[in-house]
Amino acid sequence: MPLSNNVIGCINFISVLLSIPVIGAGIWLAIGTVNSCVKLLQWPVIILGILILLVGLAGFIGGFWRITWLLVIYLIAMLVLIVLLAVLVGFIYMVTIRGSGHPEPSRAYLEYSLQDFSGWLRRRVQRSYKWERIRTCLSTTTICPELNQRFTLALDFFNAHLSPLQSGCCKPPTKCGFTFVNPTYWISPIDMSADMDCLQWSNDQNTLCYSCDSCKAGLLANLKVDWLKADIFLLLALIGLIIVYIIGCCAFRNAETEDIFRKYKQGYT
């Protein structure tokens, strides 16, 4: 067996290994509390990772057993998958480049505004039928109840670094001027602000601020952090796949050249 065929097989096996961080990123997103409620990105990432795994296996088999037609399919399919992965990496970056918290006086945690995020992300949570499912999912988690166990004094709570989701969903917005009783129970001011988020707040532990725009913004802020982390792994996998693909193309061309020379030599002798 020519050396280049072994090289092609080994290189294509690296493609199989590079599918692991892609699949892992998708699984990590799927098991996260926030992402499991939203269910936007995890399945496309997992499916793309599985396709890279299968195509890599096809290339590995074609390289070691010298199945030319399988190698050609591998090269075409892997090119398509690399393009799709590049589009996905770029898309994640573009929709998460906007959106950050705003500081409030005498507060360690940040407040979040829905208008700061990209239009595509906002549309994922602004539609009532989609948000109702997400809101129901969030209300069953321990994200808010755990704050009551961690903080009993107002000063401790105001100096806490809350997650964006806790800041947006578990308490009324700071601008509403509510009085702290515990992290999820607040006394409303006599002169209630006309801001809709202030009116949406409820001390009912199953309601809180889950219907507030601040909660939607906090959810998107959490998604942004998780998606950017996943995007780093996808970018590294993309760079690795591009390098492996280029080397694989060169090795395949060399193998074809060796095959032509061998046939020529056999015909000559």
Side-chain angles (χ1 to χ4, degrees), residues 13-225:
F13 185 72
I14 297 176
S15 299
V16 175
L17 297 179
L18 287 172
S19 70
I20 296 176
V22 180
I23 298 173
I27 295 174
W28 178 72
L29 289 174
I31 62 178
T33 302
V34 177
N35 287 281
S36 63
C37 288
V38 180
K39 296 179 181 178
L40 281 178
L41 188 65
Q42 50 267 54
W43 282 113
V45 173
I46 292 174
I47 291 172
L48 185 58
I50 292 174
L51 290 176
I52 293 173
L53 172 65
L54 295 176
V55 171
L57 284 174
F60 173 72
I61 294 171
F64 264 106
W65 278 270
R66 200 170 180 174
I67 307 174
T68 304
W69 64 267
L70 196 57
L71 284 174
V72 173
I73 291 176
Y74 159 79
L75 291 174
I76 296 173
M78 186 57 73
L79 178 61
V80 173
L81 292 176
I82 287 174
V83 172
L84 290 176
L85 183 58
V87 171
L88 181 62
V89 169
F91 172 77
I92 293 173
Y93 177 76
M94 291 304 297
V95 299
T96 57
I97 194 173
R98 293 177 52 192
S100 58
H102 306 283
E104 290 287 341
S106 304
R107 301 290 189 271
Y109 49 76
L110 302 176
E111 299 281 349
Y112 297 86
S113 173
L114 193 57
Q115 299 306 314
D116 291 339
F117 294 89
S118 68
W120 187 87
L121 281 178
R122 290 202 308 270
R123 288 191 292 273
R124 305 285 79 76
V125 297
Q126 283 181 320
R127 295 170 184 172
S128 57
Y129 70 94
K130 288 187 176 181
W131 181 252
E132 184 59 30
R133 176 182 58 81
I134 297 171
R135 189 198 69 79
T136 302
C137 178
L138 291 176
S139 65
T140 61
T141 66
T142 60
I143 293 173
C144 293
E146 70 178 19
L147 293 177
N148 291 328
Q149 300 175 4
R150 290 171 53 194
F151 307 104
T152 56
L153 299 177
L155 185 60
D156 292 338
F157 181 74
F158 296 153
N159 290 328
H161 294 278
L162 306 180
S163 70
L165 195 62
Q166 289 173 327
S167 175
C169 303
C170 305
K171 63 170 190 59
T174 303
K175 62 185 177 182
C176 298
F178 281 65
T179 301
F180 177 93
V181 176
N182 67 42
T184 59
Y185 194 96
W186 299 70
I187 299 175
S188 62
I190 296 175
D191 183 17
M192 176 68 77
S193 170
D195 189 281
M196 276 305 298
D197 277 4
C198 303
L199 300 175
Q200 293 278 10
W201 169 262
S202 171
N203 286 319
D204 183 337
Q205 298 300 292
N206 291 320
T207 304
L208 299 179
C209 218
Y210 290 125
S211 297
C212 301
D213 282 350
S214 63
C215 185
K216 298 173 183 178
L219 175 79
L220 295 184
N222 261 94
L223 282 181
K224 174 184 175 178
V225 173

